Amino acid sequence: MSVIRSLWAYPFMVNAFRAGTVVAVLAAVMGWFTVLRRQTFAGHTLAMVSFPGAAFATLLGVAPGLGYFGFCVGAAGVLAVLGPRETGHDAALTGTVQSALLACGYLFVALYKGFLGGVDSLLFGSFLGITDAQVVTLALIAAAALGALAIMGRPLLLASVDPAVAAARGVPVRALSAAFMVLLGAATAGASQITGSLLVFALLVVPAATAQQLTARPGLGLALSVVIALAVVWTGLAAAYYTPYPIGFHVTSIAFACYVLARLRRLAGGPA
Amino acid sequence: MSAFEHPFLVHALVAGTGIAAAGGLIGYFLVLRAQVFTGDVLGHVAFTGALAALAAGVDPRVGLFAATIAVALLLGVIGGRRRVDDVAIGSVLSWLLGLGAFFLTLYTTSRGATHGTAGVSVLFGSVFGLSGGQAWTAAATAAGICVAVLALARPLLFASLDESVAAARGVPVGALGLAFLVLTGACAAEAAQAVGSLLLLGLLAAPAGAAHRMTRRPCRALLLSVTLAVAEMWAGLALSYAVPVLPPSFAVLATATTVYGAAEAAARVRGDVPV
């Protein structure tokens, strides 16, 4: 108990826990659908986009949050219009676009003299200096995204599992996948403010992948994803507070350890 | 031609030319074999390897090559015939990157290096900072990779286009795939020195993707991919030299992306691509 009390002695840590909690819930729920829909590469690409977004916002002198959400949701819109690209040649396109965006981020950083030290926290996450306003913004966006997802949930599940049947039953499959992509952009923008652009995968995909190793039931899987993501973020924050290493390292390591354990349990013949 | 009196530019051109040629060759086969994601993985691994070497106090190039070649072998052996699931690869990847962040902190705190610059140069490259020795070593290594790829080119092309027929005709498909992955690992380690571990994917994917869009004939596409890569490297370095505010990695990537975009648009106008 005293450990937790000393953790929360500082307002910045309380804010970090609040923001981390919001982000963990949002990322886990969105991630569960992302894994189900096999769109993890899109999630990875959107996360990468958050880096030039934040760098550009810093260069312009506006709030980084604007850059995160503007770039991620914009890129999600582009992906939604172009449709999912996962095949051989399209990977060259995705790879080129991703590298070009990262190169732009590097340019923005280079143009903004004296910001080179800030690159690490943009890429690998930081829990310092999260303001009350940021927590409120994150909470509002998460609430809106989760609300939209709750409305879309059942048809989206059907459209994800069996698009042909869903289309035959009159579910607007294309509109749903476009809407989902935009929500995914919002979720990656939120998550990258905690884990950094390069490590969003650990919060978005790994808890959900772990949950899907453990259960095939949608409701239980969603709940498990959220529980795992929360555990990962909270232990990660505590570890980051007591060690000099960036939070991204702790979050990825804990999440990956959970995933490996879940896979080993399946190998050992546990109930799938 | 006073520009060539600057040793840093000469070194960058020497290393960049070799690296771009190797990247163009390797990239062509990566796109053909639908292994672009593997290039992405090896780029991330290069970052962790270089920083682990820095933290341990050895030459970062040792870490680069050791990490990328080891992971390439691992992917080749585990992957084998089955398609490895993207989620599993991505999970390992994100952890490796996290580990890279750990080594970065270890290095900056233990050695008192100027914070941020080590990580930034590994991530985004610093081709204008190469010494003469480093540049010639990079060029020689890249030449070795090019010779090896060209030696394998015919059977590899056969195996990539039609694996089962190639196997039936006695081409050692598995060994070829593994050898190609190892060469890709070496190429990623090379390219990381020029454009950094985050951006090398563009150097592998953009010229090759453009070449695939411009012609369907394999030998011509291979040649085109190398030519484009080298020309884009030169144009990028020249642009960065002329406009110092643009970092060389950005200028090279911007040139490569523009060429790719033009090739893609031209192919769509011709109606070669289902839009």
Side-chain angles (χ1 to χ4, degrees), chain B residues 238-262:
Chain B
L239 182 65
S240 180
Y241 178 79
V243 188
V245 76
L246 298 178
S249 314
F250 168 80
V252 171
L253 261 284
T255 318
T257 309
T258 310
V259 171
Y260 176 85

Side-chain angles (χ1 to χ4, degrees), chain A residues 13 23 34 44 93 120 141 224 231 246:
Chain A
M13 274 315 279
V23 163
T34 311
H44 175 68
L93 178 72
D120 293 347
I141 286 169
L224 258 180

Side-chain angles (χ1 to χ4, degrees), chain A residues 41 89 99 103 111 123 244 246 249, chain B residues 37 98 105 123 202 213 245 250 260:
Chain A
F41 197 58
H89 184 90
S99 302
L111 290 176
L123 293 174
F249 162 67
Chain B
F37 191 54
T105 314
L123 286 168
R213 277 285 178 261
V245 76
F250 168 80
Y260 176 85

Side-chain angles (χ1 to χ4, degrees), chain B residues 5-267:
Chain B
E5 286 164 18
H6 292 291
F8 78 89
L9 186 65
V10 177
H11 296 164
L13 278 171
V14 167
T17 305
I19 288 168
L25 280 175
I26 292 277
Y28 171 79
F29 283 108
L30 278 182
V31 174
L32 188 69
R33 298 167 65 85
Q35 288 183 317
V36 174
F37 191 54
T38 311
D40 200 6
V41 173
L42 292 171
H44 293 330
V45 171
F47 166 71
T48 306
L51 280 164
L54 280 172
V58 293
D59 189 327
R61 287 179 293 180
V62 176
L64 274 179
F65 280 95
T68 52
I69 290 176
V71 171
L73 280 171
L74 196 71
L75 282 175
V77 173
I78 292 179
R81 288 299 162 119
R82 320 181 274 115
R83 264 204 79 232
V84 185
D85 138 48
D86 269 4
V87 175
I89 293 185
S91 306
V92 176
L93 251 189
S94 70
W95 178 63
L96 277 173
L97 272 174
L99 209 57
F102 166 79
F103 286 126
L104 176 62
T105 314
L106 199 64
Y107 172 66
T108 46
T109 48
S110 68
R111 306 201 169 258
T114 37
H115 185 68
T117 50
V120 169
S121 70
V122 173
L123 286 168
F124 298 109
S126 50
V127 74
F128 281 165
L130 294 175
S131 70
Q134 285 171 327
W136 286 107
T137 311
T141 317
I145 295 172
C146 288
V147 169
V149 176
L150 287 173
L152 293 179
R154 275 191 71 87
L156 187 62
L157 199 58
F158 191 15
S160 308
L161 289 171
D162 198 335
E163 198 174 16
S164 39
V165 174
R169 295 269 302 267
V171 176
V173 176
L176 267 179
L178 197 59
F180 174 68
L181 274 177
V182 170
L183 286 172
T184 308
C187 181
E190 274 286 295
Q193 298 170 55
V195 292
S197 58
L198 275 188
L199 307 183
L200 66 87
L201 180 66
L203 200 62
L204 295 175
H212 273 274
R213 277 285 178 261
M214 288 176 181
T215 174
R216 291 188 186 280
R217 295 173 56 183
C219 290
R220 197 176 286 183
L222 192 60
L223 196 65
L224 193 60
S225 178
V226 175
T227 315
L228 280 178
V230 173
E232 285 158 3
M233 176 66 79
W234 287 350
L237 291 176
L239 182 65
S240 180
Y241 178 79
V243 188
V245 76
L246 298 178
S249 314
F250 168 80
V252 171
L253 261 284
T255 318
T257 309
T258 310
V259 171
Y260 176 85
E264 182 80 24

Side-chain angles (χ1 to χ4, degrees), chain A residues 13-255:
Chain A
M13 274 315 279
V14 176
N15 271 348
F17 268 87
R18 284 176 185 155
T21 305
V22 170
V23 163
V25 174
L26 178 62
V29 174
M30 294 300 298
W32 189 83
F33 278 100
T34 311
V35 173
L36 184 74
R37 298 171 57 81
R38 304 193 171 285
Q39 289 185 315
T40 50
F41 197 58
H44 175 68
T45 309
L46 289 176
M48 291 286 193
V49 175
S50 65
F51 167 63
F56 191 59
T58 312
L59 183 63
L60 290 186
V62 296
L66 277 177
Y68 277 116
F69 284 103
F71 270 59
C72 286
V73 174
V78 172
L79 282 182
V81 170
L82 289 177
R85 303 183 158 275
E86 307 270 327
T87 54
H89 184 90
D90 290 331
L93 178 72
T94 314
T96 306
V97 170
Q98 203 191 94
S99 302
L101 282 165
L102 284 170
C104 286
Y106 181 45
L107 174 71
F108 299 146
V109 168
L111 290 176
Y112 186 83
K113 296 275 181 279
F115 184 61
L116 283 184
V119 175
D120 293 347
S121 62
L122 281 188
L123 293 174
F124 301 115
S126 159
F127 59 96
L128 299 172
I130 297 171
T131 58
D132 290 344
Q134 260 176 303
V135 175
V136 172
T137 314
L138 273 177
L140 286 176
I141 286 169
L146 290 175
L149 200 61
I151 296 168
M152 291 172 22
R154 285 192 69 86
L156 183 68
L157 195 59
L158 181 60
S160 307
V161 175
D162 199 335
V165 171
R169 295 212 7 211
V171 175
V173 175
R174 271 210 69 121
L176 272 180
S177 66
F180 175 76
M181 197 56 96
V182 171
L183 290 181
L184 183 61
T188 47
S192 50
Q193 297 186 43
I194 301 286
T195 61
S197 300
L198 289 184
L199 307 177
V200 168
F201 211 88
L203 216 49
L204 186 74
V205 175
V206 183
T210 309
Q212 296 200 352
Q213 291 287 332
L214 297 173
T215 175
R217 288 167 51 194
L220 191 61
L222 267 172
L224 258 180
S225 301
V226 172
V227 169
I228 294 169
L230 282 175
V232 165
V233 169
W234 287 342
T235 40
L237 275 170
Y241 179 76
Y242 288 112
T243 62
Y245 304 111
I247 178 159
F249 162 67
H250 295 293
V251 167
T252 48
S253 301
I254 298 163

